[in-house]
Amino acid sequence: MVKEVPMRRCISCKKSRPKEELMRYVMVDGVAVSDDMKKQNGRGFYICKDSEKCVTIAVKKGKLKDGNK
């Protein structure tokens, strides 16, 4: 039996990728904090690890502000 790979979607480019290829962030007091261990409480969101473009897009569109995921 083959184990299914968990997929997540980048909030910038909207591409679904394996969870390991994305970086998880959590909003803490209105600030996006990286969740390296993927265990912090709160609603998380994902951005492509290897793409500066995705981070830039997320910042420009205000997606890293509290309530704008």
Side-chain angles (χ1 to χ4, degrees), residues 18-49:
K19 191 175 173 182
E20 295 82 32
E21 292 180 18
L22 301 168
M23 185 65 197
R24 182 174 190 263
Y25 292 87
V26 177
M27 296 304 289
V28 177
D29 296 325
V31 178
V33 178
S34 68
D35 183 11
D36 297 332
M37 300 301 291
K38 296 178 176 54
K39 302 264 185 197
Q40 285 188 357
N41 289 333
R43 180 111 176 148
F45 56 94
Y46 294 83
I47 298 178
C48 297
K49 274 185 187 178

Side-chain angles (χ1 to χ4, degrees), residues 46-60:
Y46 294 83
I47 298 178
C48 297
K49 274 185 187 178
D50 58 350
S51 176
E52 286 183 36
K53 181 180 173 185
C54 287
V55 174
T56 303
I57 291 170
V59 170
K60 281 184 181 179

